[in-house]
């Protein structure tokens, strides 16, 4: 007899990560990684946590990532019982869905937004309800509050659109929504405001953060969630007992404690983002105003109006120049566009050079 897996697991599809090309010479503007290295304090802290002979690795790490959570607590001015650490923020998104969704208890999300949520929902056999973002890039607050979701994710700033919804809009949703409202703030460091203060005023609000983007630690897997202690207590029951390894905890503390590095590198990314945006507008592309470390831009040129095949053509042209960006063909708001991660000045220059060539009709 053949062992039978859960039918809903058999029926689901895995998340599709952005391409990580092998080989040299690629300009990677496809997965929103930071173009700058993490704070120099990170490598020093990892080295010191490892020790000369690696003997520290014999021992289990702090099960509750104590020092890292203390650093988060200081940063946000919240008691440490309001913080749970995750192996990347994807880990905490998964824990939230495990604790709050299931059969008959839907996961809600704005569409388009982060395509991992439906994958995590499928793994818990939970239905997904989607609230469509409109052509003017707003969404209906009522559609969210009437969605019937047990847990609703608002990616803010939105990915892949890049726009930021005002804190007062999120507060209106929180006030009328009966379920748990998760604000996924993966890109908050690049935005003009965030929603962490809503934790004090709205008991159903949860904030998730990652160190993968602004702190340049995608390869280390560090994230966290801020929530009321009742919520943290639930997540604590369902997480892996040692969900962050020793090196990740040390790296996370060092990264959070170097506020100057964060400010400088985020400042550089934001300046490059404005230059990239303006240069694309100058060649006639349309660009969504971005509060993140990427821009969503729609390529056009003589004879190629905005559309799926134009964006595909521009994508392939860039790829032939070893410049990787990302396409999101599944949604009408993104199907004609390219999502371009903000790189170093040299990477932005190389991208713009190729984009201008394509727009001028070569290739
Ligand atoms: C990158 C990203 C994350 C995941 O961050 P990790 O900490 O690397 O798991 C979560 N949400 C959104 C919207 C993201 O773009």
């Amino acid at each position: 007899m053949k062992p039978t897996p859960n039918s809903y697991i058999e029926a689901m599809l895995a998340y599709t990560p952005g391409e990580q090309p092998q080989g040299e010479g690629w300009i990677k503007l496809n997965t929103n990684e930071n173009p700058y290295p993490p704070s120099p304090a990170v490598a020093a802290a990892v080295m010191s946590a490892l020790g000369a002979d690696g003997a520290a690795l014999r021992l289990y790490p702090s099960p509750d990532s104590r020092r890292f959570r203390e650093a988060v607590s200081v940063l946000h001015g919240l008691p440490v019982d309001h913080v749970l650490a995750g192996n990347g923020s994807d880990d905490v998104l998964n824990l939230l869905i495990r604790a709050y969704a299931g059969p008959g208890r839907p996961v809600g999300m704005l569409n388009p937004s982060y395509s991992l949520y439906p994958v995590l929902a499928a793994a818990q056999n939970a239905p997904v309800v989607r609230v469509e973002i409109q052509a003017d890039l707003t969404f209906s607050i009522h559609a969210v509050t009437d969605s019937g979701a047990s847990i609703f994710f608002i990616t803010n700033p939105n990915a892949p659109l890049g726009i930021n919804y005002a804190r007062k809009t999120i507060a209106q949703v929180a006030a009328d929504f009966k379920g748990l409202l998760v604000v996924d703030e993966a890109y908050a460091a690049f935005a003009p405001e965030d929603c962490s203060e809503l934790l004090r005023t709205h008991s159903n609000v949860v904030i998730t953060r990652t160190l993968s983007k602004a702190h340049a630690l995608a390869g280390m897997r560090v994230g966290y969630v801020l929530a009321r202690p009742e919520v943290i207590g639930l997540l604590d029951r369902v997480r892996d007992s040692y969900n962050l390894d020793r090196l990740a905890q040390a790296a996370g503390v060092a990264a959070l404690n170097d506020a100057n590095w964060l400010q400088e590198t985020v400042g550089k990314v934001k300046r490059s983002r404005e230059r990239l945006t303006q240069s694309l507008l100058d060649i006639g592309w349309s660009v969504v105003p971005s509060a993140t470390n990427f821009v969503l831009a729609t390529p056009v040129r003589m004879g190629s109006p905005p559309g799926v095949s134009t964006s595909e053509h521009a994508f392939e042209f860039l790829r032939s120049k070893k410049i990787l960006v990302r396409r999101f063909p599944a949604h009408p708001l993104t199907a004609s566009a390219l999502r371009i991660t903000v790189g170093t000045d040299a990477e932005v220059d190389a991208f713009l050079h190729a984009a201008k060539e394509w727009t001028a009709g070569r290739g």
Side-chain angles (χ1 to χ4, degrees):
M1 261 231 323
K2 204 164 146 258
T4 324
N6 292 325
S7 56
Y8 57 92
I9 300 292
E10 247 186 335
M12 71 178 276
L13 293 174
Y15 176 73
T16 315
E19 187 178 348
Q20 297 289 352
Q22 302 302 309
E24 298 294 296
W26 286 94
I27 295 182
K28 257 193 104 266
L29 306 179
N30 67 331
T31 48
N32 299 344
E33 287 142 330
N34 200 310
Y36 303 109
S39 156
V42 167
V46 169
M47 238 75 100
S48 137
L50 187 58
D53 58 358
L57 298 181
R58 289 183 310 109
L59 303 175
Y60 282 104
S62 163
D64 63 347
S65 303
R66 186 74 204 187
R67 286 187 53 234
F68 174 71
R69 285 168 53 241
E70 282 167 2
V72 173
S73 140
V74 169
L75 186 71
H76 291 279
L78 287 165
V80 76
D81 64 0
H82 284 56
V83 184
L84 184 122
N87 186 13
S89 75
D90 289 352
D91 181 25
V92 302
L93 299 173
N94 188 29
L95 299 178
L96 285 161
I97 289 181
R98 215 185 266 176
Y100 283 87
R105 295 178 47 80
V107 171
M109 62 183 286
L110 296 181
N111 196 32
S113 69
Y114 191 30
S115 59
L116 179 69
Y117 313 135
V119 176
L120 300 176
Q124 306 299 328
N125 202 11
V128 177
V129 293
R130 290 175 172 83
V131 170
E132 292 298 318
I133 295 178
Q134 307 300 309
D136 64 0
L137 305 186
T138 65
F139 65 91
S140 155
I141 292 175
H142 287 298
V144 176
T145 56
D146 297 345
S147 66
S150 300
I151 176 169
F152 200 102
F153 290 87
I154 296 187
T155 316
N156 199 41
N158 181 278
L161 296 173
I163 45 153
N164 191 58
Y165 295 112
R167 189 195 292 134
K168 64 177 196 314
T169 304
I170 307 299
Q172 279 173 11
V173 175
D176 291 340
F177 181 54
K178 299 285 175 282
L180 193 75
L181 181 66
V182 182
V183 190
D184 180 344
E185 294 194 334
Y187 300 99
F190 305 101
E193 60 174 13
D194 66 52
C195 290
S196 52
E197 69 176 55
L198 299 184
L199 285 168
R200 295 171 217 279
T201 46
H202 298 78
S203 61
N204 60 339
V205 167
V206 165
I207 307 281
T208 64
R209 292 282 182 101
T210 174
L211 276 69
S212 295
K213 312 283 162 60
H215 298 82
L217 287 185
M220 204 80 230
R221 316 306 303 132
V222 191
Y224 58 91
V225 55
L226 304 172
R228 298 280 171 107
E230 312 85 84
V231 178
I232 298 292
L234 292 169
L235 304 180
D236 222 15
R237 292 177 206 172
V238 295
R239 71 177 174 86
D240 288 351
S241 354
Y242 301 102
N243 61 337
L244 269 80
D245 67 61
R246 264 175 189 281
L247 306 183
Q249 292 186 33
V253 171
L256 290 185
N257 287 343
D258 195 346
N260 286 334
W261 184 271
L262 181 73
Q263 200 193 337
E264 274 174 37
T265 50
V266 166
K268 282 200 275 190
V269 167
K270 291 202 297 193
R271 285 191 292 278
S272 304
R273 175 183 80 198
E274 297 320 307
R275 180 167 78 91
L276 174 60
T277 301
Q278 193 52 54
S279 306
L280 291 177
L281 292 171
D282 289 346
I283 60 172
W285 294 25
S286 55
V287 185
V288 177
S290 171
T292 64
N293 66 342
F294 59 85
V295 296
L296 189 80
T298 301
V300 278
R301 65 177 183 180
M302 191 93 81
S304 301
V308 178
S309 65
T310 299
S311 102
E312 207 168 359
H313 190 272
F315 177 92
E316 291 302 339
F317 177 79
L318 292 162
R319 203 169 196 290
S320 74
K321 305 278 174 187
K322 299 197 96 171
I323 299 171
L324 268 189
V325 297
R326 192 136 179 214
R327 292 185 60 237
F328 294 86
H331 196 278
L333 286 179
T334 53
S336 304
L338 303 175
R339 192 194 68 184
I340 307 139
T341 304
V342 177
T344 59
D345 279 331
E347 290 171 332
V348 169
D349 286 341
F351 168 82
L352 285 171
H353 183 81
K356 284 173 189 167
E357 232 182 290
W358 178 85
T359 305
R362 291 188 285 279

